[in-house]
Amino acid sequence: MTITFYTNPNSRGRMVRWMLEEVGADYETVVLDYLKTSTDDQWGGAALEKPAATETDSEQARFFREINPIGKIPAIEHNARVISESGAIITYLADVFPLAALTPTDDERADYHRWMFFTAGPIEQAVTNKRAGFVPLPEQEFFFGHGSYERTLDQLEYAVTRHPFIAGGRFTAADVYVGSHIGWGLGLGTIPPREAFVKYAGNLVARDAYKRAVELDNALLQAG
């Protein structure tokens, strides 16, 4: 069954589209609109336009009603099931498209899960807190899942230098997720251009699926 992909080309949906292209899925794209006032948000974020109560038939209204009521993208619908959260979508697609061979082997499984969840937790927290201008005091660090921004980045650097790819010697779904975060961070300046990060991200953007995904999303942005 065709996958319905809910996204906006200026969102984390870009990493999910990359994964969709990697697995060769048939999918339909539904582009959802942001609030007009959020395009100039000083934090670089954007909120979806919530439909009026009288607007019940649009894709935007259905998204808030049935797909993800908190109004966050991306999300996918597959076989009448909804999957939200970028990392969850990426691992789900790896599982349901086994011929793409992007799930981990037994030897890769520990690093695969370790660095996926490290990115979804400490990396997300450290980077977004720093971008928002919030830096915990040393005595506050134990409240947070990442501790300090600097130590979190040091651990990320360790992760990308242990093997050619995040889980070992070959590309897996974890590279889509971790690599997307590093690529976005380098582009936005929220992750410093350490040699290890630049080299790791550079190896990933040469992939054909990545290039197709970028071309599709950039076309949507230009159509705007």
Side-chain angles (χ1 to χ4, degrees), residues 22 26 30 39-40 45-46 62 70 98 112 116 126 135 165 169 183 195 208 221 223:
E22 288 283 357
D26 291 326
V30 176
T39 56
D40 297 320
R62 180 175 178 271
I70 67 171
Y112 178 94
M116 281 282 294
V135 180
F165 295 98
E195 181 180 356
D208 289 341
L221 283 173

Side-chain angles (χ1 to χ4, degrees), residues 66-179:
E66 301 176 18
I67 305 301
N68 197 354
I70 67 171
K72 299 292 289 184
I73 48 178
I76 66 170
E77 190 174 16
H78 184 223
N79 293 335
R81 293 181 174 87
V82 172
I83 305 95
S84 61
E85 308 306 320
S86 301
I89 297 169
I90 287 168
T91 53
Y92 173 83
L93 291 171
D95 287 342
V96 298
F97 289 92
L99 293 181
L102 296 178
T103 54
T105 65
D106 288 344
D107 287 342
E108 296 166 339
R109 198 173 312 280
D111 282 340
Y112 178 94
H113 289 291
R114 177 185 183 183
W115 300 118
M116 281 282 294
F117 282 88
F118 176 76
T119 301
I123 289 295
E124 275 271 11
Q125 288 187 40
V127 168
T128 54
N129 281 347
K130 184 173 179 63
R131 185 174 179 107
F134 178 74
V135 180
L137 297 172
E139 60 269 25
Q140 295 175 314
E141 289 180 359
F142 73 97
F143 292 150
F144 299 89
H146 68 279
S148 78
Y149 174 79
E150 291 76 15
R151 289 199 305 276
T152 302
L153 288 184
D154 289 344
Q155 186 75 339
L156 181 62
E157 183 171 5
Y158 168 75
V160 301
T161 54
R162 297 178 68 233
H163 311 291
F165 295 98
I166 202 70
R170 70 182 187 98
F171 181 87
T172 66
D175 291 292
V176 174
Y177 190 62
V178 178

Side-chain angles (χ1 to χ4, degrees), residues 15 23-24 26 29 37 47 50 56 61 70 103 111 135 147 166 175 182 185 189 199 204:
M15 69 177 78
V23 300
D26 291 326
T29 300
T37 55
K50 190 168 185 178
T56 59
I70 67 171
T103 54
D111 282 340
V135 180
I166 202 70
D175 291 292
I182 292 176
K199 180 180 178 181
L204 301 181

